[in-house]
Amino acid sequence: MSIADDLRESVRQHVENACIIVNTDDIPERDQVKLAAEAVQVEATALSIDIRQFSGLTNAFGRQVVVRMLRAFFEGSVRIVEGSSGTVADFNGDGMIVLFAGADRTERAFRAASQIRWFLTEVLRPRFAKYFESDQFLKARIEEFDAGCGLDDGLVLIGRVGSEGFNDIAWVGRCVNTAAKACKLAGSSKPIIATHEVYERLDTSTFAGTVNWVPVDLITVGGVQREVIATSYVSKP
């Protein structure tokens, strides 16, 4: 059978064979997700984190310094995420997607976002600013090293994609896409942006009444408009 015939048969199977959905309350370990006609479905809060102006930072500081910044930022961020029982789903160069499952998932996701903001503004940037003490231009530009956070809640379908020799995990769901798009809107004055669904779930959490939210323009994801709000709230781990 030729490669063309193999490809036709592979597509036929994907089209005709139903996907088996396995519902769970927890984010599965990566090795538990099979390369088969099966996917794991879980209710989750998605947290998207993205470095602002990444290309500009590389031009200003150079590749080696930016790699050190990224290593410091993501090592600290992953430790904060793990401390809130979150699961890092994916890295995409200058950002990452994190998922939280369980009844208190949204509270833990928001706590992680606010702690990452604290880590960035109170630990990482001041330390690098001190490193550039002798170069006032670079010291000033260290303030540009910033990260936005986007949050949404919903169903996520988790499946393994690729071939036997090369494959990875796909995290499919509206909340993943919306969190990523909301994250793109985040800036220094509104670093954490969340959907109304996240806000409603936080309304019964320990954060109720302590976080100052401000309205943000509607965003459109997949042709659907979503209401989002923003905050600059930070909390120390």
Side-chain angles (χ1 to χ4, degrees):
M1 184 179 290
S2 67
I3 293 178
D5 291 334
D6 283 341
L7 293 174
R8 292 189 181 94
E9 175 59 19
S10 174
V11 171
R12 184 195 66 78
Q13 292 181 22
H14 285 298
V15 171
E16 297 179 3
N17 294 344
C19 181
I20 301 170
I21 306 299
V22 178
N23 289 293
T24 180
D25 296 325
D26 303 304
I27 307 298
E29 298 292 335
R30 297 180 74 89
D31 59 6
Q32 294 176 325
V33 182
K34 302 175 182 177
L35 184 62
E38 178 180 296
V40 178
Q41 182 169 262
V42 60
E43 284 189 296
T45 296
L47 166 61
S48 176
I49 304 160
D50 187 69
I51 302 294
R52 310 286 85 184
Q53 305 297 327
F54 184 69
S55 297
L57 288 171
T58 303
N59 292 335
F61 293 100
R63 295 186 300 271
Q64 293 186 24
V65 172
V66 170
V67 166
R68 289 155 65 186
M69 291 178 179
L70 290 176
R71 284 175 176 168
F73 176 72
F74 284 118
E75 179 182 348
S77 297
V78 169
R79 291 181 66 179
I80 289 170
V81 165
E82 291 176 341
S84 294
S85 300
T87 299
V88 177
D90 190 32
F91 283 100
N92 56 4
D94 58 352
M96 67 180 183
I97 290 286
V98 183
L99 296 178
F100 297 80
D104 62 343
R105 60 185 181 269
T106 307
E107 180 177 357
R108 289 185 285 110
F110 181 78
R111 180 183 296 114
S114 64
Q115 290 179 353
I116 288 170
R117 288 295 308 168
W118 175 89
F119 166 65
L120 174 63
T121 59
E122 300 298 325
V123 179
L124 191 148
R125 282 206 306 238
R127 186 64 185 85
F128 273 96
K130 186 176 181 181
Y131 175 78
F132 292 114
E133 193 71 46
S134 61
D135 190 325
Q136 293 303 306
F137 174 76
L138 290 181
K139 181 180 179 181
R141 293 207 63 174
I142 198 66
E143 291 299 318
E144 296 177 23
F145 188 87
D146 204 2
C149 298
L151 291 155
D152 191 22
D153 187 79
L155 287 172
V156 179
L157 202 60
I158 306 166
R160 187 173 291 277
V161 297
S163 64
E164 287 291 347
F166 188 86
N167 55 75
D168 203 350
I169 305 296
W171 314 82
V172 182
R174 183 192 69 174
C175 67
V176 176
N177 298 332
T178 304
K181 186 155 188 177
C183 182
K184 297 294 184 184
L185 296 177
S188 57
S189 62
K190 48 183 181 181
I192 301 176
I193 295 185
T195 61
H196 189 67
E197 287 83 352
V198 167
Y199 172 79
E200 288 184 333
R201 288 185 59 83
L202 288 174
D203 195 41
T204 59
S205 75
T206 57
F207 290 105
T210 64
V211 179
N212 181 35
W213 296 97
V214 295
V216 182
D217 292 339
L218 295 173
I219 62 173
T220 302
V221 179
V224 178
Q225 285 193 323
R226 306 289 305 283
E227 181 182 347
V228 291
I229 52 178
T231 183
S232 57
Y233 182 84
V234 298
S235 59
K236 185 178 179 180

